[in-house]
Amino acid sequence: MRVLILGIDGYLGWALALRLVRRGHEVIGIDNFYTRKAVTEVGSDSALPILPMQDRIRAVEEVFGARIEFIEGDVTNYDLMRKVIDRYKPDTIVHFAEQRSAPYSMIDVDHAKYTIINNLTSTLNVVYAVREVRRDIHILKMGTLGEYGYPAFRIPEDAFIDAVIQGVRDRIVVPRWAGSWYHWSKVFDSYMLLYANRLWGLTITDFHQGLCMGLGPRT
């Protein structure tokens, strides 16, 4: 299988790339290294050393005997997205290329605008490029349970629910109530993906992750 990972330099993107390569899949990646810049901007660092991309690719070749094709670029550039998809024609596109920090999105208006514009533009570019190049590409998109906030009702597995509003029954999208500009960008992502699926029949998996916290056994 040929997989295009958007945001391959990130924590999730690189781990997924290694797993796929180990299983014999062909991997292509795009990244603009914005997360590295943002981490430096806020005066932070990684708990583990992160090698430059070329060193990472070289290590993959040495350990797995496989080559990761890497393109440095911005997924908000539609021409780039279309050219890469047209050239490699992946079976699957995994979209991790978003500003993914809620606190970062709340710093000020510039960080909020960057988060909204980057995240929504990149998702829109992906669905349009797939529509125009090859509609059978499977899009996998990272969402978040933070889209729902903390509702009193149990969040269903389905994206839709049967609702009764002013005595009228209809099937609607599960209500969302996000807690940051980042989370609101993910809410609109979900709506765009649902709409692209209904409009063009694209195959899209929008998977929502959440934090799992608890206490270990007492000694």
Side-chain angles (χ1 to χ4, degrees), residues 104-116:
Y104 187 86
S105 75
M106 302 298 290
I107 292 175
D108 57 27
V109 65
D110 291 327
H111 291 79
K113 284 194 297 184
Y114 175 81
T115 300
I116 296 293

PDB file of all heavy atoms in Angstrom, residues 104-116:
ATOM      1  N   TYR A 104      -1.726  26.857  22.381  1.00  0.00           N
ATOM      2  CA  TYR A 104      -1.064  27.692  21.379  1.00  0.00           C
ATOM      3  C   TYR A 104      -2.092  28.512  20.606  1.00  0.00           C
ATOM      4  O   TYR A 104      -1.867  29.690  20.306  1.00  0.00           O
ATOM      5  CB  TYR A 104      -0.272  26.803  20.427  1.00  0.00           C
ATOM      6  CG  TYR A 104       0.602  27.528  19.439  1.00  0.00           C
ATOM      7  CD1 TYR A 104       1.898  27.921  19.777  1.00  0.00           C
ATOM      8  CD2 TYR A 104       0.143  27.807  18.155  1.00  0.00           C
ATOM      9  CE1 TYR A 104       2.708  28.577  18.865  1.00  0.00           C
ATOM     10  CE2 TYR A 104       0.945  28.461  17.231  1.00  0.00           C
ATOM     11  CZ  TYR A 104       2.226  28.854  17.592  1.00  0.00           C
ATOM     12  OH  TYR A 104       3.020  29.510  16.679  1.00  0.00           O
ATOM     13  N   SER A 105      -3.243  27.911  20.325  1.00  0.00           N
ATOM     14  CA  SER A 105      -4.275  28.617  19.572  1.00  0.00           C
ATOM     15  C   SER A 105      -4.904  29.753  20.358  1.00  0.00           C
ATOM     16  O   SER A 105      -5.567  30.623  19.781  1.00  0.00           O
ATOM     17  CB  SER A 105      -5.373  27.638  19.134  1.00  0.00           C
ATOM     18  OG  SER A 105      -6.215  27.276  20.219  1.00  0.00           O
ATOM     19  N   MET A 106      -4.715  29.755  21.676  1.00  0.00           N
ATOM     20  CA  MET A 106      -5.351  30.744  22.540  1.00  0.00           C
ATOM     21  C   MET A 106      -4.403  31.874  22.951  1.00  0.00           C
ATOM     22  O   MET A 106      -4.791  32.750  23.727  1.00  0.00           O
ATOM     23  CB  MET A 106      -5.894  30.049  23.801  1.00  0.00           C
ATOM     24  CG  MET A 106      -6.893  28.938  23.536  1.00  0.00           C
ATOM     25  SD  MET A 106      -8.388  29.494  22.712  1.00  0.00           S
ATOM     26  CE  MET A 106      -9.145  30.445  24.036  1.00  0.00           C
ATOM     27  N   ILE A 107      -3.168  31.889  22.455  1.00  0.00           N
ATOM     28  CA  ILE A 107      -2.184  32.895  22.878  1.00  0.00           C
ATOM     29  C   ILE A 107      -2.659  34.303  22.558  1.00  0.00           C
ATOM     30  O   ILE A 107      -2.658  35.197  23.399  1.00  0.00           O
ATOM     31  CB  ILE A 107      -0.807  32.625  22.232  1.00  0.00           C
ATOM     32  CG1 ILE A 107      -0.204  31.330  22.803  1.00  0.00           C
ATOM     33  CG2 ILE A 107       0.143  33.802  22.463  1.00  0.00           C
ATOM     34  CD1 ILE A 107       1.093  30.909  22.135  1.00  0.00           C
ATOM     35  N   ASP A 108      -3.045  34.525  21.308  1.00  0.00           N
ATOM     36  CA  ASP A 108      -3.523  35.840  20.871  1.00  0.00           C
ATOM     37  C   ASP A 108      -4.215  35.689  19.529  1.00  0.00           C
ATOM     38  O   ASP A 108      -4.363  34.569  19.014  1.00  0.00           O
ATOM     39  CB  ASP A 108      -2.370  36.861  20.797  1.00  0.00           C
ATOM     40  CG  ASP A 108      -1.233  36.407  19.881  1.00  0.00           C
ATOM     41  OD1 ASP A 108      -1.495  35.627  18.936  1.00  0.00           O
ATOM     42  OD2 ASP A 108      -0.082  36.829  20.098  1.00  0.00           O
ATOM     43  N   VAL A 109      -4.626  36.810  18.942  1.00  0.00           N
ATOM     44  CA  VAL A 109      -5.389  36.749  17.698  1.00  0.00           C
ATOM     45  C   VAL A 109      -4.570  36.149  16.559  1.00  0.00           C
ATOM     46  O   VAL A 109      -5.107  35.422  15.711  1.00  0.00           O
ATOM     47  CB  VAL A 109      -5.931  38.148  17.313  1.00  0.00           C
ATOM     48  CG1 VAL A 109      -4.792  39.115  16.987  1.00  0.00           C
ATOM     49  CG2 VAL A 109      -6.902  38.048  16.130  1.00  0.00           C
ATOM     50  N   ASP A 110      -3.261  36.432  16.499  1.00  0.00           N
ATOM     51  CA  ASP A 110      -2.447  35.896  15.408  1.00  0.00           C
ATOM     52  C   ASP A 110      -2.339  34.379  15.475  1.00  0.00           C
ATOM     53  O   ASP A 110      -2.410  33.696  14.446  1.00  0.00           O
ATOM     54  CB  ASP A 110      -1.047  36.524  15.435  1.00  0.00           C
ATOM     55  CG  ASP A 110      -1.070  37.998  15.051  1.00  0.00           C
ATOM     56  OD1 ASP A 110      -1.917  38.372  14.217  1.00  0.00           O
ATOM     57  OD2 ASP A 110      -0.250  38.759  15.584  1.00  0.00           O
ATOM     58  N   HIS A 111      -2.170  33.833  16.675  1.00  0.00           N
ATOM     59  CA  HIS A 111      -2.088  32.375  16.829  1.00  0.00           C
ATOM     60  C   HIS A 111      -3.451  31.724  16.573  1.00  0.00           C
ATOM     61  O   HIS A 111      -3.521  30.624  16.018  1.00  0.00           O
ATOM     62  CB  HIS A 111      -1.564  32.020  18.210  1.00  0.00           C
ATOM     63  CG  HIS A 111      -0.124  32.378  18.417  1.00  0.00           C
ATOM     64  ND1 HIS A 111       0.272  33.660  18.702  1.00  0.00           N
ATOM     65  CD2 HIS A 111       1.013  31.633  18.344  1.00  0.00           C
ATOM     66  CE1 HIS A 111       1.603  33.692  18.816  1.00  0.00           C
ATOM     67  NE2 HIS A 111       2.066  32.483  18.604  1.00  0.00           N
ATOM     68  N   ALA A 112      -4.519  32.413  16.967  1.00  0.00           N
ATOM     69  CA  ALA A 112      -5.860  31.899  16.685  1.00  0.00           C
ATOM     70  C   ALA A 112      -6.115  31.867  15.186  1.00  0.00           C
ATOM     71  O   ALA A 112      -6.612  30.870  14.644  1.00  0.00           O
ATOM     72  CB  ALA A 112      -6.909  32.772  17.381  1.00  0.00           C
ATOM     73  N   LYS A 113      -5.751  32.950  14.499  1.00  0.00           N
ATOM     74  CA  LYS A 113      -5.962  33.007  13.046  1.00  0.00           C
ATOM     75  C   LYS A 113      -5.127  31.964  12.324  1.00  0.00           C
ATOM     76  O   LYS A 113      -5.612  31.313  11.388  1.00  0.00           O
ATOM     77  CB  LYS A 113      -5.624  34.404  12.515  1.00  0.00           C
ATOM     78  CG  LYS A 113      -6.677  35.451  12.819  1.00  0.00           C
ATOM     79  CD  LYS A 113      -6.465  36.712  11.986  1.00  0.00           C
ATOM     80  CE  LYS A 113      -5.154  37.380  12.288  1.00  0.00           C
ATOM     81  NZ  LYS A 113      -5.022  38.660  11.534  1.00  0.00           N
ATOM     82  N   TYR A 114      -3.887  31.800  12.745  1.00  0.00           N
ATOM     83  CA  TYR A 114      -3.045  30.795  12.097  1.00  0.00           C
ATOM     84  C   TYR A 114      -3.668  29.409  12.229  1.00  0.00           C
ATOM     85  O   TYR A 114      -3.721  28.644  11.266  1.00  0.00           O
ATOM     86  CB  TYR A 114      -1.634  30.776  12.673  1.00  0.00           C
ATOM     87  CG  TYR A 114      -0.818  29.654  12.080  1.00  0.00           C
ATOM     88  CD1 TYR A 114      -0.225  29.796  10.832  1.00  0.00           C
ATOM     89  CD2 TYR A 114      -0.706  28.425  12.731  1.00  0.00           C
ATOM     90  CE1 TYR A 114       0.475  28.751  10.253  1.00  0.00           C
ATOM     91  CE2 TYR A 114      -0.013  27.368  12.154  1.00  0.00           C
ATOM     92  CZ  TYR A 114       0.579  27.540  10.924  1.00  0.00           C
ATOM     93  OH  TYR A 114       1.260  26.491  10.343  1.00  0.00           O
ATOM     94  N   THR A 115      -4.140  29.095  13.431  1.00  0.00           N
ATOM     95  CA  THR A 115      -4.726  27.780  13.682  1.00  0.00           C
ATOM     96  C   THR A 115      -5.941  27.535  12.798  1.00  0.00           C
ATOM     97  O   THR A 115      -6.052  26.485  12.145  1.00  0.00           O
ATOM     98  CB  THR A 115      -5.123  27.647  15.162  1.00  0.00           C
ATOM     99  OG1 THR A 115      -3.953  27.814  15.982  1.00  0.00           O
ATOM    100  CG2 THR A 115      -5.755  26.299  15.450  1.00  0.00           C
ATOM    101  N   ILE A 116      -6.846  28.501  12.769  1.00  0.00           N
ATOM    102  CA  ILE A 116      -8.073  28.344  11.982  1.00  0.00           C
ATOM    103  C   ILE A 116      -7.753  28.249  10.492  1.00  0.00           C
ATOM    104  O   ILE A 116      -8.215  27.337   9.787  1.00  0.00           O
ATOM    105  CB  ILE A 116      -9.034  29.519  12.238  1.00  0.00           C
ATOM    106  CG1 ILE A 116      -9.503  29.542  13.709  1.00  0.00           C
ATOM    107  CG2 ILE A 116     -10.230  29.443  11.283  1.00  0.00           C
ATOM    108  CD1 ILE A 116     -10.374  28.377  14.107  1.00  0.00           C
TER     109      ILE A 116
END
